[in-house]
Structure formats: C-alpha cells, structure tokens
Amino acid sequence: MKILHLDTGKGWRGGQQQLFWLMEGLRDLGHEQLLLAPSSSPLAERTRKAGLEVAELSPQAMSFANLRGLPQKAVRFDLLHAHDARGHSLAWLAGIGRSKKSWPRLVVSRRVAYPIGFFSRLKYGAADAYIAVSDYVRQQLLQASVPEEKIHVVLDGVKLPRLPAGSGNSSELRRRFGVGEQTFLIGTLATIAPEKLLQDSVDLLVNLPSTMQLWLGTPGLGLPESDADQQAAEKVLLEHARKRGVEKRFQIVRLGEDLSAFLGSLDMFLYLSKSEGLGSAILLAMAYNLPVVASNVGGIPEIVRHMEEGLLAGKDWKSELPPAIRLLRDSARTRQRLADAGRRFVMTHATTDIMASRTAAVYAELLQGSNRNRA
C-alpha cells in the first residue's frame, strides 16, 4: 500500500507521537509512505531522522499553496490519512469535486473527546473511513451521523521499555532534583492546558503527607504554543503551588524524546482530566509498570478498570483521592498488582506493533471495498 500521511501540527503532542510510531510500524510491514507536515515541526524532524520520507506543508494549513499542492502529491497514493482536525479540513477541501477514481481513499483519525459541531459535520460526511482512538470517540462519531461501517476503533500504542520502572536512571534524575529515594514520587505527563486539571493535581499535595511530591513532565520537543506562552503557563502553575504552600514539593520537568528516566523515577502515575479521548500517556505509564490513578472520563475507563489496572477517580475525587494515594504508598503489594495488570494490558492490546497492524488492516479493508466498487 502507498499511504500519504497528513499532519498540520507545529508542536509535539500525543497525536504526533502516535503518527511517528505508526509510520515506523508501517515501514516494518513493508508499506510505502510519505509524511506531509510543516517542515520545521518536531514530527517532520524526527521522521526525517528516522529515514522516512517527508514533504513540506505550509504552516498555514488552509493556505492556497497547500490546497494546490496536496492534490499534486496525493495522486500517486492509495490512501490519504489525515491525523488532525486541520488536516481533515484540508483534505476535504482539496478533494471537493475530484473523481473517486483519481483521488486516494480518505482516512481520518479522531482522538479528541469533545463533541462534533454542526458545521464540522459537513466534512465528516466526506471521509471513507474513521479511526477512533476509543469506543467513547466512536460513539461521538455515531452521534454526528457518521455511518457505523465507516468507524474503526484502534487503540493508541506505546513502545514497551526494556527495563521496568525503578531501574536505570531513576536514582540519577531524583538526585538531580534533590528528591530522596524514600520520597513517594507522583508524576504526570501533560501539556499545560485547562482540561488537564493541573492546578487540581497540585492541590492534592495539600492533603497528602509532606513526604510526597509531584512532578509534571511537559514536552520539551516542540511546543503547541510559543515558548513564551509555555513559560508563562508554567509560571502561573508554579505560582499556584506557592500560594497553596507546596512549591517545594512540586516540580516541572521539561522532557525530550526519551521519557524513560522520568517515568523510571516515579512511584505512581496521576492523570486528571476534564475530558479525554483515550489517554496515551496512561498507556505509557502502564508500560513502565507504574500504578495509575486517573479520572473516570471519556475513553480512560476502556484502558483502566477500577481496582484492576489502576484506580479511577469519580465525581467526588477531591475527597476520594488523598486516601487512595496514601493506600498506594502504604501497600507495595497493591501498587505491584495494579502495575503488573496495567503492563499486561499494554502487552496484549496497546503496543505500537498492534496499533500499526490494526491500522494497516483498516487500510486493506477500505482498499478491498474500493476495488470491488470500481469493478
């Protein structure tokens, strides 16, 4: 198969990480690919470094250059896979009025949890297939009148680390930030955005023992906003921690490509969110054999069952979580049981190889159907 991937993102978030891993997996399966993305984006840079083909996309997604250039590139591909909302819009507009025989089949990834607006439904009628990151997202597509047969659920995938959490560089990173090995270290991975409830995560420290600390790992490999905006957001969060009297127990850690030292330093992974399509950061923590405490929202319950792979926080989470976290601190056996179950889930359902093979199966099914329709 020949696949043209389209991503308009200028930063590095979960969607870009998943696309990069998908392209690596599809290469291993023998498929020809081209990434169309802003040339200076972290995704484009990493993809080139991995030896995969990249073509330049104008930073202004809806520019005339992109609308004219996309059809010129798409003509030699079997499939056009749009991986973000603006890429979906660009592919839809560029394909208007073109014959199905001369235009590749359009696949759209849907990762986010918010409902599809009325005007957005116009473009949602145009794609040939949708890859939803969870059944929760699938239900939203159904509510937007997308035909059921067009929707395929493919979970995010993560790479399994060679070593479980608690080994490798964990002691080194703790020493760098002055955190003793006896400190119970809670960590989370997120961009600083309102839906991530990061101030609430900081507030939890107020009702937890002083021997517990919280680290927030944020992307250092490209940013969705300008670096100045990111620094301002970090300053606001640090000021909030100061006002709550926990500034010495809260640390923001800028991360690069390798997250192993960060995740390997933690005792527990916390993920609070107002809404979530799935939560690939949770899968990554589970792969590192960490017990997870997460919000019971969106697609998260599809990967974390309460008291099985982790703990889910309900409506009364502000009062429920402090004793639950203290339980995990005090019971190494409970921590290990949850962590082991989480890692087994990833190994069985959510590795990058599984994600790539299931995505390739969606492609193949779509092309087989197209060939039958053309016959």
Side-chain angles (χ1 to χ4, degrees):
M1 287 182 285
K2 298 179 180 180
I3 307 114
L4 175 61
H5 298 283
L6 176 59
D7 186 273
T8 67
K10 300 174 186 177
W12 183 263
R13 289 195 175 194
Q16 282 77 35
Q17 177 67 84
Q18 289 299 308
L19 173 50
F20 177 75
W21 280 336
L22 173 63
M23 291 189 70
E24 286 189 321
L26 291 173
R27 176 180 58 186
D28 293 342
L29 293 172
H31 300 298
E32 180 182 336
Q33 303 171 89
L34 171 66
L35 170 65
L36 191 56
S39 61
S40 60
S41 68
L43 174 61
E45 292 174 1
R46 285 195 67 180
T47 303
R48 288 192 202 95
K49 191 183 300 184
L52 290 156
E53 188 178 359
V54 180
E56 183 176 355
L57 184 71
S58 170
Q60 300 301 320
M62 296 299 118
S63 69
F64 177 73
N66 288 339
L67 288 169
R68 182 182 61 182
L70 178 57
Q72 295 172 354
K73 293 181 175 65
V75 67
R76 70 181 179 91
F77 290 91
D78 303 311
L79 293 152
L80 170 56
H81 189 162
H83 291 268
D84 67 337
R86 287 177 297 179
H88 181 188
S89 298
L90 175 60
W92 169 57
L93 290 172
I96 289 177
R98 298 185 183 275
S99 167
K100 287 189 175 182
K101 292 185 178 180
S102 62
W103 189 248
R105 303 301 89 186
L106 175 58
V107 179
V108 173
S109 284
R110 174 81 179 176
R111 308 178 51 81
V112 294
Y114 49 81
I116 298 167
F118 176 78
F119 292 106
S120 294
R121 296 187 184 199
L122 291 172
K123 68 178 182 180
Y124 275 87
D128 298 291
Y130 289 89
I131 295 180
V133 76
S134 64
D135 188 66
Y136 179 83
V137 173
R138 172 182 171 273
Q139 293 298 325
Q140 290 186 322
L141 288 167
L142 289 172
Q143 291 171 16
S145 301
V146 175
E148 185 174 7
E149 63 272 15
K150 285 189 175 185
I151 309 171
H152 309 264
V153 175
V154 178
L155 296 182
D156 280 345
V158 296
K159 288 185 178 294
L160 285 168
R162 295 181 181 179
L163 298 173
S167 60
N169 296 323
S170 60
S171 297
E172 176 188 341
L173 194 61
R174 279 179 173 247
R175 282 195 298 270
R176 187 188 308 172
F177 289 101
V179 177
E181 291 299 320
Q182 301 305 313
T183 297
F184 190 83
L185 186 55
I186 304 165
T188 189
L189 289 170
T191 54
I192 301 179
E195 68 271 14
K196 297 304 181 183
L197 298 177
L198 294 175
Q199 289 194 4
D200 295 276
S201 298
V202 170
D203 288 344
L204 283 175
L205 290 174
V206 175
N207 296 312
L208 290 172
S210 60
T211 53
M212 293 187 180
Q213 294 192 23
L214 172 67
W215 281 4
L216 164 63
T218 63
L221 183 68
L223 298 167
E225 303 83 16
S226 71
D227 195 60
D229 289 343
Q230 180 74 3
Q231 290 179 15
E234 291 178 0
K235 184 177 180 180
V236 169
L237 194 56
L238 290 169
E239 177 61 17
H240 179 76
R242 187 194 66 78
K243 289 180 178 178
R244 300 292 282 156
V246 295
E247 69 275 15
K248 293 183 179 180
R249 299 164 57 198
F250 174 64
Q251 179 72 44
I252 297 176
V253 183
R254 283 285 189 98
L255 303 173
E257 295 183 22
D258 186 5
L259 305 182
S260 59
F262 177 82
L263 291 168
S265 299
L266 306 180
D267 295 298
M268 190 203 91
F269 189 78
L270 177 68
Y271 199 84
L272 299 182
S273 182
K274 290 181 181 178
S275 63
E276 202 71 36
L278 183 71
S280 57
I282 295 172
L283 292 173
L284 193 58
M286 291 161 70
Y288 273 82
N289 212 31
L290 286 169
V292 171
V293 174
S295 297
N296 188 7
V297 297
I300 292 176
E302 297 175 40
I303 58 176
V304 179
R305 294 173 297 174
H306 186 58
M307 291 303 296
E308 294 291 334
E309 290 84 14
L311 304 179
L312 291 177
K315 292 181 180 180
D316 298 326
W317 61 267
K318 290 186 178 182
S319 60
E320 294 173 356
L321 279 189
I325 293 172
R326 287 194 291 269
L327 168 66
L328 290 178
R329 179 202 60 179
D330 296 338
S331 176
R333 182 176 181 179
T334 301
R335 291 200 306 272
Q336 197 62 54
R337 179 179 65 81
L338 298 177
D340 289 345
R343 187 173 169 87
R344 283 195 302 271
F345 179 90
V346 171
M347 293 174 66
T348 306
H349 302 288
T351 66
T352 53
D353 288 343
I354 293 171
M355 180 263 292
S357 64
R358 289 179 176 171
T359 302
V362 173
Y363 294 162
E365 179 183 331
L366 178 58
L367 291 178
Q368 288 167 7
S370 298
N371 292 334
R372 285 195 297 269
N373 292 336
R374 291 175 181 177

